[in-house]
Amino acid sequence: MVGRLIVALLFIAASIQAQEKSILYKVSGNGLEKPSYLMGIINFLPADQFSVPPAVDKAMEECEIYAAKFEQNRKTQKKFNDAVKIPNNGWINDYLTDDELNQLRLLLLLDMEVKEHAYHDFYSRLQPIILVPTTTALKLGDNIVYTEHKLHEVAKKHKLKTESLGTIQEEINAFEKFPIEDQVEALKHTVNNFDQHIQDYEAMVADYLKNQDLVKVKNETFKATNESQLFKKVYYDSRALSWLPKIEEMMKDKPTFIALGAPYLVGDVSLLNLLETKGYVVSPVKVSF
């Protein structure tokens, strides 16, 4: 039975990749009275390149529910910030050689102009899986926009009810299952190849905004985890499977707009594949930035 499911998912994955590429997909059929939408996002983008596209605004206007991974407010943000620090009051210095540490400090203190006290009290305390994308965000400086925040503003404009697919604790639990040693290797690679890291990020942004190729975005995202299959399974695959029943329940109740990181939407075990397996019609929506 499991083997048949895997074969079905692989077949559907190939068919979805052959479709016209998009960052937004309409879900209809299988008893739904009105369509719902899934949008793949990147956590943050250059502010001078991104604004919410008209097609996304229109899709949200058609919906009654806006759903994301978990509720974002000051309480959950504080809980997350505390949880993503290295355990037992540790810091990154404990995991790097002197040369590697100097490389990191040069990047943050000189290139990014991070203050010494901020490095000591905050950045050096972050788990490497968080520190890697943080270096990219610092490079963008003021030219940064957080995609989910912008979508939440549109949802508020259209008076959509906000729902969560999971909890902040589930997010934390997923991060905790990614071994610190593997995270450190990913950080070392980023620091030692930072120019290439930024070029890869810029290419990912182009794949998202211009090419709307979520598969390439997903592949680039995995580089930040040193392409850890364990992290992929725990953070993406298992959560997509666990969220599916709630997503179906939401869509059957009211038209729903769901915004999630691109890796949740595409791949062998992904929401688009899973929904098609369940009999829904999944079709790309033309989006222009």
Side-chain angles (χ1 to χ4, degrees):
M1 186 68 180
V2 174
R4 290 179 182 177
L5 175 60
I6 292 172
V7 171
L9 288 174
L10 288 172
F11 176 78
I12 292 170
S15 67
I16 287 179
Q17 288 184 35
Q19 289 180 351
E20 178 184 349
K21 294 180 176 64
S22 181
I23 62 166
L24 180 65
Y25 288 81
K26 181 169 74 172
V27 183
S28 59
N30 200 24
L32 294 183
E33 293 184 7
K34 295 181 180 180
S36 289
Y37 295 87
L38 266 75
M39 180 179 178
I41 64 172
I42 295 177
N43 287 342
F44 55 84
L45 290 160
D48 60 0
Q49 297 185 46
F50 178 81
S51 60
V52 176
V56 172
D57 188 289
K58 183 177 181 297
M60 294 183 81
E61 189 176 12
E62 295 176 12
C63 295
E64 296 181 44
I65 296 174
Y66 171 77
K69 279 194 300 184
F70 55 84
E71 183 180 4
Q72 293 202 11
N73 53 43
R74 290 181 180 179
K75 184 178 179 181
T76 57
Q77 190 61 54
K78 183 181 185 306
K79 186 173 183 179
F80 183 74
N81 288 345
D82 290 341
V84 296
K85 292 179 181 177
I86 296 173
N88 304 316
N89 201 32
W91 61 337
I92 196 63
N93 301 38
D94 298 331
Y95 298 92
L96 301 177
T97 66
D98 289 344
D99 287 344
E100 291 165 347
L101 181 59
N102 286 337
Q103 197 101 348
L104 176 63
R105 285 176 58 83
L106 284 171
L107 178 64
L108 293 179
L109 274 65
L110 291 184
D111 293 357
M112 309 298 183
E113 299 183 350
V114 169
K115 301 298 183 185
E116 180 68 44
H117 69 85
Y119 171 81
H120 184 276
D121 296 340
F122 180 69
Y123 293 103
S124 67
R125 306 291 175 175
L126 293 175
Q127 293 192 41
I129 188 63
I130 301 298
L131 191 52
V132 168
T134 297
T135 60
T136 314
L138 286 169
K139 182 69 175 178
L140 288 175
D142 293 333
N143 185 34
I144 188 170
V145 62
Y146 291 90
T147 313
E148 198 168 329
H149 292 175
K150 287 295 182 184
L151 293 174
H152 193 271
E153 289 174 1
V154 177
K156 189 174 181 181
K157 178 183 76 173
H158 293 307
K159 298 180 180 179
L160 273 61
K161 181 182 178 182
T162 301
E163 295 280 2
S164 302
L165 296 177
T167 66
I168 187 64
Q169 190 57 52
E170 291 173 0
E171 183 86 354
I172 292 167
N173 292 345
F175 274 113
E176 287 178 346
K177 292 179 181 177
F178 189 24
I180 189 73
E181 293 79 13
D182 292 348
Q183 296 185 42
V184 169
E185 289 306 311
L187 175 63
K188 289 179 183 179
H189 180 78
T190 298
V191 172
N192 291 332
N193 304 276
F194 191 69
D195 288 344
Q196 184 61 52
H197 172 73
I198 294 301
Q199 289 176 26
D200 290 343
Y201 171 76
E202 291 171 347
M204 180 176 70
V205 169
D207 281 326
Y208 183 76
L209 297 176
K210 297 178 182 178
N211 305 325
Q212 298 187 32
D213 190 334
L214 294 186
V215 173
K216 286 188 177 179
V217 170
K218 177 176 183 174
N219 292 340
E220 190 58 43
T221 301
F222 281 156
K223 287 185 179 180
T225 71
N226 214 19
E227 300 183 355
S228 168
Q229 290 303 305
L230 172 62
F231 187 78
K232 174 181 177 294
K233 180 180 179 181
V234 171
Y235 192 80
Y236 292 110
D237 296 353
S238 64
R239 296 171 91 191
L241 289 165
S242 68
W243 290 339
L244 182 63
K246 187 168 186 178
I247 288 172
E248 286 192 274
E249 184 180 334
M250 285 180 177
M251 294 192 305
K252 287 176 180 176
D253 183 36
K254 294 177 181 177
T256 302
F257 187 99
I258 302 164
L260 292 168
Y264 290 106
L265 267 67
V266 293
D268 298 342
V269 182
S270 64
L271 288 171
L272 296 183
N273 289 354
L274 292 167
L275 288 167
E276 282 210 334
T277 301
K278 298 280 282 188
Y280 297 93
V281 177
V282 177
S283 52
V285 177
K286 186 174 181 180
V287 175
S288 299
F289 286 98

